[in-house]
Amino acid sequence: MPSLLIVDDEQALRHGLAHYLAHLESPFETIVTAENGQTALAKLEQQPFAAALVDINLGDINGLDLISLINQRYPQTLVVIISGYDDFDFARRAIKLKVLDYLLKPIPRSDLKQLMATLAQKLATVPPVKPVANDLATSGQTYIEAHYSDKNLSLTRCAQALFVSETHLSKQLKQMTGMTFSEYLTTYRLKKAQELLRHPQLQYTITDIATKVGYEDAHYFSRVFRKKLGQSPLQYRQH
């Protein structure tokens, strides 16, 4: 049986809504709640959800941005907005995000009953939600490869950009690549350094190359290069 996710930063509302829906005839076997966007994304990583009720006003992430991430990562999940704002711009963005419905708080019980009937009908005509391949590690790799030249790039910054916890991102990267965040970043930086060193037309100095691949200290870069590749950057270039 499918599961429903309720995302709202108001504790009384999300718990009250979950309690009411649990006693209402609905297509959902389980109802899970999340108090913010990061928690919601973590729960979506753990299990598939057939539908999600998402508040626009969340403490850490704009609800519309969260919906955009859900659409990208979990396209089978049906999304319904629950909001206290009757705002045309929100509604217009919601249409672009292809949400199933847009409910205004306080939500009448008749509207909730109608929503459950609509969701039941939708779920009856589509295949059940299956766990999708986790693309968080891929997103992490993409972020690293786009920002490797930034000397301040860190696991913390990458996790914040992807709206996930550092621990969760690190675990997913390790499972997919066999490397920690730091190891993957170092490997990618050295790969780029090797490309620059091999390029016959680009006679950059070792200091220039170190800077271009994210190292502030050229001596430290050379030590890392030698440790990983068994020779100095200059020796690598000469061979």
Side-chain angles (χ1 to χ4, degrees):
M1 290 285 287
S3 299
L4 173 69
L5 178 64
I6 299 174
V7 190
D8 197 301
D9 64 344
E10 297 179 51
Q11 182 177 348
L13 189 144
R14 70 174 180 273
H15 287 174
L17 188 56
H19 182 266
Y20 177 71
L21 293 179
H23 293 83
L24 193 66
E25 184 177 346
S26 82
F28 304 107
E29 182 178 35
T30 57
I31 298 174
V32 177
T33 65
E35 69 273 16
N36 56 43
Q38 290 199 13
T39 302
L41 289 171
K43 290 182 182 294
L44 283 157
E45 289 286 346
Q46 295 166 6
Q47 69 175 93
F49 286 93
L53 307 186
V54 181
D55 184 23
I56 286 179
N57 248 351
L58 298 174
D60 58 347
I61 306 174
N62 179 287
L64 295 176
D65 292 335
L66 173 61
I67 292 168
S68 180
L69 287 170
I70 292 174
N71 286 345
Q72 292 171 28
R73 300 179 187 179
Y74 312 100
Q76 288 181 292
T77 301
L78 301 172
V79 178
V80 175
I81 288 178
I82 50 177
S83 174
Y85 296 92
D86 187 5
D87 187 286
F88 176 73
D89 185 55
F90 282 150
R92 182 175 57 188
R93 286 190 63 190
I95 291 171
K96 290 183 178 180
L97 290 170
K98 299 179 181 178
V99 300
L100 180 65
D101 207 344
Y102 188 117
L103 300 180
L104 289 174
K105 300 177 186 178
I107 307 170
R109 294 191 173 191
S110 59
D111 286 0
L112 289 172
K113 290 179 180 179
Q114 179 58 49
L115 175 63
M116 290 302 105
T118 300
L119 286 169
Q121 185 177 25
K122 285 281 186 183
L123 294 175
T125 60
V126 298
V129 177
K130 299 177 180 179
V132 296
N134 173 37
D135 68 348
L136 177 58
T138 301
S139 297
Q141 289 175 283
T142 301
Y143 190 87
I144 290 171
E145 292 167 11
H147 298 86
Y148 72 93
S149 61
D150 181 356
K151 67 181 189 308
N152 295 315
L153 180 58
S154 65
L155 173 60
T156 299
R157 180 173 292 186
C158 185
Q160 288 174 345
L162 298 176
F163 300 106
V164 295
S165 71
E166 295 173 35
T167 302
H168 189 54
L169 175 59
S170 181
K171 179 180 177 182
Q172 296 301 320
L173 273 172
K174 182 73 172 178
Q175 286 181 351
M176 175 173 276
T177 68
M179 291 181 277
T180 64
F181 177 91
S182 179
E183 288 168 343
Y184 189 85
L185 174 58
T186 298
T187 299
Y188 193 78
R189 281 174 167 169
L190 294 182
K191 173 187 172 184
K192 288 298 180 182
Q194 288 173 272
E195 291 175 5
L196 293 173
L197 288 164
R198 283 199 303 262
H199 201 296
Q201 279 79 44
L202 299 178
Q203 292 300 311
Y204 290 122
T205 66
I206 302 303
T207 298
D208 287 339
I209 291 175
T211 301
K212 287 182 179 296
V213 299
Y215 289 94
E216 198 170 17
D217 185 335
H219 294 293
Y220 177 71
F221 161 70
S222 295
R223 287 201 303 273
V224 172
F225 195 99
R226 180 185 289 276
K227 181 179 180 181
K228 295 292 184 180
L229 300 173
Q231 55 187 324
S232 71
L234 187 58
Q235 289 171 327
Y236 182 87
R237 168 178 275 168
Q238 291 171 344
H239 287 81

